[in-house]
């Protein structure tokens, strides 16, 4: 799978070169390309934003650099082009499964007051929001989407790591424990040390239901 991220601030994506995602890229299981939109502006001063028509606070990213960048990385429009925006559809686990079905996704990061609507109308397939709040730009949102999708690319994680996790069955994940058996007066539940896998599975299911009921009853 290839993930191309278009941004005005490529230096923000250093975290994607670390840990599990970074290792997957080094091993060739995943390709993440960070593209600087400024490289595609026709302005000699590398200008990519301007004042909004109609007035108002802030600046708006211009259509030309955005459109040219998208056409350069996806000339035949074979990729799924996504604009990270608070106005978009809420990003959920079902969307993660859908994104993994694409060989190539392009993530467009807005900044300032947003992007000229004509670039969105002409070059974007859909808008995604990672939650009901506003960030200074789409970079953090793009990292969230890239990380969530990358986990399901073959070979990035072991298959066992992808089952019985939060949202896999519309439930939140059960609690986890490791050594030592006792920490500050709190002990690991006896069932987890019993070796009885049927009882362990039962306990984990009960815990998932309890955590979901407490924290996200809307999922039940």
């Amino acid at each position: 799978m290839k993930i191309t991220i278009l941004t005005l601030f490529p230096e923000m994506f250093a975290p994607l070169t670390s840990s599990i995602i970074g290792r997957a890229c080094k091993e060739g299981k995943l390709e993440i390309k960070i593209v600087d939109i400024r490289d595609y502006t026709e302005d000699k001063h590398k200008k990519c934003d301007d004042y909004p028509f109609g007035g108002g606070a802030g600046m708006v990213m211009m259509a030309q650099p955005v459109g040219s960048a998208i056409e350069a990385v996806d000339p035949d429009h074979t990729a799924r082009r996504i604009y990270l925006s608070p106005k978009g559809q809420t990003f959920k686990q079902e969307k993660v499964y859908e994104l993994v079905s694409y060989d190539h996704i392009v993530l467009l990061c807005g900044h300032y007051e947003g992007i000229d609507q004509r670039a969105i109308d002409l070059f974007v397939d859909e808008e995604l929001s990672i939650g009901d709040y506003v960030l200074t730009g789409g970079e953090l949102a793009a990292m969230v989407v890239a990380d969530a999708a990358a986990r399901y690319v073959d070979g990035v994680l072991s298959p066992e790591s992808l089952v019985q996790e939060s949202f896999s069955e519309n439930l939140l994940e059960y609690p986890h424990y490791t050594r030592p058996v006792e920490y500050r007066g709190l002990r690991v539940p006896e069932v987890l040390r019993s070796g009885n896998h049927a009882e362990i599975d039962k306990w984990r299911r009960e815990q998932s239901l309890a955590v979901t009921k407490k924290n996200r009853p809307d999922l039940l």
Side-chain angles (χ1 to χ4, degrees):
M1 182 183 193
K2 180 178 181 180
I3 301 174
T4 301
I5 301 174
L6 306 181
T7 175
L8 293 175
F9 302 96
E11 65 275 9
M12 291 184 66
F13 291 90
L16 293 181
T17 64
S18 304
S19 189
I20 294 171
I21 304 303
R23 185 170 64 247
C25 290
K26 290 177 182 177
E27 294 174 351
K29 298 169 182 174
L30 175 69
E31 180 182 356
I32 296 180
K33 183 177 182 181
I34 311 301
V35 175
D36 190 341
I37 295 172
R38 295 183 194 278
D39 291 341
Y40 295 91
T41 181
E42 295 174 357
D43 182 87
K44 65 180 181 180
H45 301 296
K46 297 291 184 180
K47 185 178 176 65
C48 289
D49 61 314
D50 210 333
Y51 294 102
F53 280 116
M59 304 290 278
V60 175
M61 289 175 62
M62 300 158 67
Q64 179 275 311
V66 172
S68 295
I70 293 175
E71 288 183 316
V73 302
D74 181 33
D76 299 319
H77 199 166
T78 56
R80 187 67 174 174
R81 301 170 176 179
I82 300 166
Y83 171 42
L84 285 310
S85 162
K87 297 185 294 182
Q89 171 190 348
T90 302
F91 185 55
K92 295 185 178 182
Q93 191 67 23
E94 292 80 3
K95 177 59 70 171
V96 176
Y97 301 144
E98 178 188 328
L99 294 184
V100 179
S101 69
Y102 296 105
D103 293 328
H104 184 195
I105 60 174
V106 174
L107 303 178
L108 171 62
C109 304
H111 221 83
Y112 313 122
E113 291 301 308
I115 294 176
D116 188 306
Q117 185 64 39
R118 291 167 293 184
I120 299 169
D121 293 341
L122 290 169
F123 301 106
V124 170
D125 295 318
E126 64 178 310
E127 298 182 45
L128 283 182
S129 167
I130 62 168
D132 294 339
Y133 45 86
V134 180
L135 301 171
T136 56
E139 285 76 17
L140 293 176
M143 280 188 270
V144 168
V145 173
D147 185 278
R151 297 176 73 251
Y152 287 87
V153 174
D154 287 344
V156 173
L157 293 178
S158 65
E160 293 80 9
S161 298
L162 298 174
V163 298
Q164 292 187 326
E165 62 178 1
S166 291
F167 307 110
S168 60
E169 294 180 322
N170 229 35
L171 295 175
L172 301 183
E173 196 168 8
Y174 50 79
H176 295 278
Y177 298 87
T178 187
R179 295 171 181 166
V181 172
E182 184 174 335
Y183 174 69
R184 297 196 178 190
L186 298 180
R187 294 180 59 83
V188 175
E190 292 295 330
V191 64
L192 297 180
R193 299 189 294 120
S194 67
N196 187 327
H197 294 292
E199 287 299 313
I200 291 172
D201 288 343
K202 178 182 177 183
W203 179 88
R204 287 174 169 171
R205 179 74 178 181
E206 291 171 348
Q207 291 296 311
S208 286
L209 287 167
V211 171
T212 306
K213 184 177 180 180
K214 177 184 177 182
N215 295 338
R216 290 291 304 275
D218 57 296
L219 294 175
L220 295 175

